[in-house]
């Protein structure tokens, strides 16, 4: 048997040790991070009591998109899966743009979680803690403490995937128990039903504010955690069964917790704090502040502790998953080979971990507040979402023969709906934020150009042709956001109500274009060979085990048959 390529060899160094429970813990631990500490207050500030519906809409969007990625993840159980699918279906340009958007969205979560922990610490009754956060962003001492947390996240990922799995499962149990306990305690301590009708009614800022809350208040930030099990598919024991269970289960469990927290938060706010309306809320540590208000000192202490544990657990998970994403980008051909190396002893992609640590420090230096990071992450996340719906149907056309452990008959309907949902959330994020993040996506193109533009035109041309839909999509969505209704920060050239229909129609048109432009590119051919070789190796190992068992049984039978003669 020939020696595997370096990338394949590195891929084989991963340990397939994660089962359904561990993968669900990875997903749930990613979803329940800093979002639950700040999301309820930010959503309420934008949408009032209708923020409850914003969480439901966010979960519906995430679940629809997750279904498309579950099929892809079960087809290609490789590390860093989310950055690979566009490459398999459309080649280097679309694949790179999707990978860049996804990586930016995920790697920036890591400093965001550290920032969240420090921001909550600033409410501690210690002199040094008061100076960590000035009400808008971290101070220099706050950035220094967040930097220490970043290093801690990466150290926990440096040694072994089994250590990560054991640590994360324990942290996730704590992260589920504390939010549940918080919701229950606040509901029993104080619940003012008048808040749901007074102060402007159920939707005081209109339904456009509800949609904007989905996009920028931390809801997309939170539910984006469904990606983590997919990015660690290379370490799943039985990805065909465990991945969809982990992805869907983590979203649904988190939805119940988040809705309970939002309801409890809305009812527990003192009436005096709503004197300036919902937009006047300005808590530094929202849930802990409410606990202190109603004499729940024990809960406040628990929340202060969890403000360190929950974000740190999520930061640790994302440190793991982003390193697998970097490995995937390297295998796509857009990073130096060193970032595809996986330590044979521990199964950890250590060079990728170091690269992500450096980038996390850069984000922490530029974006020092949880809110600013949440906005960037949310919009970049939505841009990365559009690849899944297109890729899953494109690959059904290009590679109908590939095994699909997860295959939904309704996918031809689910995929375009997921594309429309993702595009609507991008539009809801409001201009000029949408334009800024789309510009950030374009900032990654020089890296792609360095690796790709040196290729002969005949080799490069099909990649450009297949990826043109995604480049055009980003420009068109930016223009639509600029021209959109004033409810979403636009210049009012698109009438209110019709703007949503126009965005949905544009999304469907690009979905059709994207599916039609896919082609059987070299990356798809390479992964076909890899999957075929893996299947052959697995079949040989099963036959070998069966043969050993049979020979062992024959030897035992022979020994038994000789036993009487010796007697």
């Amino acid at each position: 048997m020939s020696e595997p390529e370096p990338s394949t060899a590195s891929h084989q160094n991963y340990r397939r040790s994660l089962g359904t429970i561990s993968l669900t813990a990875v997903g749930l631990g990613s979803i329940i991070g800093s979002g639950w500490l700040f999301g309820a207050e930010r959503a309420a500030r934008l949408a009032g009591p209708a923020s409850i519906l914003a969480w439901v809409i966010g979960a519906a969007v995430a679940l629809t998109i997750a279904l498309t990625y579950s099929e892809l993840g079960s087809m290609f159980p490789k590390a860093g899966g989310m950055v690979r699918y566009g490459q398999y279906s459309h080649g280097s340009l679309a694949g790179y743009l999707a990978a860049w958007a996804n990586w930016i969205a995920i790697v920036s979560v890591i400093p965001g979680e550290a920032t969240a922990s420090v921001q909550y610490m600033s409410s501690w009754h210690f002199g040094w803690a008061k100076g960590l956060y000035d009400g808008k962003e971290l101070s220099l001492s706050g950035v220094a403490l967040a930097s220490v947390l970043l290093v801690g996240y990466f150290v926990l990922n440096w040694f072994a995937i089994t250590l990560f799995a054991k640590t994360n499962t324990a942290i996730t149990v704590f992260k589920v128990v504390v939010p549940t306990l918080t919701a229950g305690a606040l509901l029993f301590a104080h619940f003012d039903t008048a808040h749901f009708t007074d102060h402007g009614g159920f939707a005081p800022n209109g339904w456009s504010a509800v949609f904007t809350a989905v996009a920028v208040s931390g809801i997309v930030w939170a539910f984006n955690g469904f990606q983590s099990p997919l990015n660690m598919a290379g370490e799943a024991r039985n990805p065909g069964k465990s991945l969809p269970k982990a992805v869907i289960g983590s979203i649904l469990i988190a939805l119940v917790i988040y809705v309970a927290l939002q309801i409890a938060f809305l009812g527990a706010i003192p009436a005096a704090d709503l004197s300036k309306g919902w937009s006047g809320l300005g808590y530094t540590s929202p849930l802990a502040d409410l606990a202190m208000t109603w004499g729940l000192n024990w809960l406040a202490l628990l929340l202060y502790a969890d403000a360190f544990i929950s974000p740190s657990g999520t930061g640790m998970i994302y440190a793991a998953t982003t390193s697998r994403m970097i490995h995937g980008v390297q295998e796509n051909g857009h990073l130096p080979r060193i970032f595809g190396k996986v330590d044979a002893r521990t199964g950890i992609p250590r060079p990728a971990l170091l690269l992500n640590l450096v980038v996390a420090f850069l984000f922490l230096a530029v974006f020092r507040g949880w809110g600013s990071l949440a906005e960037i992450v949310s919009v970049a996340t939505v841009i990365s979402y559009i690849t899944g719906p297109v890729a899953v149907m494109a690959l059904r056309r290009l590679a109908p023969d590939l095994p699909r452990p997860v295959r939904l008959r309704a996918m031809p309907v689910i995929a375009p709906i997921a594309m429309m949902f993702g595009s609507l959330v991008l539009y809801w994020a409001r201009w000029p934020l949408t334009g800024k993040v789309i510009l950030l996506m374009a900032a990654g193109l020089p890296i792609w150009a360095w690796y790709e533009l040196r290729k002969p035109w005949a080799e490069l041309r099909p990649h450009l042709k297949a990826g043109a839909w995604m480049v055009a999509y980003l420009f068109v969505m930016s223009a639509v956001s600029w021209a959109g209704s004033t409810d979403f920060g636009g210049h009012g050239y698109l009438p209110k109500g019709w703007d949503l229909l126009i965005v949905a129609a544009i999304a469907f048109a690009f979905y059709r274009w994207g599916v039609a432009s896919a082609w059987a590119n070299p990356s798809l051919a390479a992964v076909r060979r890899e999957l075929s070789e893996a299947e052959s190796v697995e079949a040989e190992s099963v036959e070998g085990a069966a043969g050993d068992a049979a020979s062992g049984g024959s030897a035992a039978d022979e020994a038994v048959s000789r036993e009487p003669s010796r007697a």
Side-chain angles (χ1 to χ4, degrees), residues 385-461:
Y385 279 170
I386 67 170
T387 313
V390 173
V392 71
M393 292 309 298
L395 288 168
R396 283 196 177 189
R397 177 174 65 82
L398 291 174
D401 57 307
L402 284 180
R404 287 170 170 79
V406 177
R407 182 185 176 95
L408 298 178
R409 285 183 292 180
M411 190 60 74
V413 176
I414 293 172
I417 290 175
M419 179 74 170
M420 288 186 276
F421 276 175
S423 300
L424 284 168
V425 174
L426 178 59
Y427 178 70
W428 296 340
R430 299 175 61 89
W431 181 266
L433 179 61
T434 48
K436 290 178 180 178
V437 178
I438 288 173
L439 184 63
L440 181 61
M441 297 304 101
L445 283 174
I447 300 174
W448 174 85
W450 172 261
Y451 285 96
E452 298 293 328
L453 293 186
R454 291 178 290 179
K455 294 179 179 178
W457 172 248
E459 183 180 342
L460 179 61
R461 182 175 177 274

Side-chain angles (χ1 to χ4, degrees), residues 199-341:
H199 312 289
F202 185 72
N205 299 318
W207 290 103
S208 61
V210 178
F211 298 141
T212 298
V214 174
V216 301
S217 70
I219 293 175
V220 168
W221 164 298
F223 285 118
N224 186 40
F226 81 79
Q227 296 189 35
S228 293
L230 297 170
N231 283 321
M232 302 193 76
E235 287 128 297
R237 283 198 297 266
N238 188 353
K241 291 183 178 180
S242 58
L243 282 179
K245 290 179 181 178
V247 169
I248 296 170
S250 59
I251 291 174
L252 295 179
I253 294 170
L255 173 61
V256 173
I257 294 171
Y258 275 121
V259 168
L261 278 168
Q262 187 69 61
I263 293 172
F265 177 84
L266 293 168
I269 299 172
D273 290 354
L274 288 172
S275 59
K276 296 181 180 179
W278 293 101
S279 60
L281 294 176
Y283 297 113
T284 299
S285 308
L287 297 172
D289 291 347
L290 290 181
M292 293 290 287
T293 298
W294 302 116
L296 301 174
N297 295 338
W298 62 271
L299 180 60
L301 291 174
L302 187 61
L303 284 166
Y304 287 138
D306 190 69
F308 173 77
I309 295 172
S310 282
S312 296
T314 302
M316 183 180 70
I317 293 170
Y318 277 116
T321 58
T322 49
S323 64
R324 277 68 175 173
M325 293 168 71
I326 286 294
H327 185 186
V329 173
Q330 187 280 322
E331 283 198 354
N332 287 348
H334 299 132
L335 279 176
R337 181 167 291 185
I338 188 174
F339 295 114
K341 289 187 176 181

Side-chain angles (χ1 to χ4, degrees), residues 51 104 109 134 149 204 226 230 263 317 354 364 389 395 424 483 516 529 536 548 567:
S51 54
I104 288 294
V109 170
D134 65 8
L149 292 177
F226 81 79
L230 297 170
I263 293 172
I317 293 170
L354 290 174
L364 181 61
L395 288 168
L424 284 168
R529 289 193 301 271
S536 298
D548 291 343

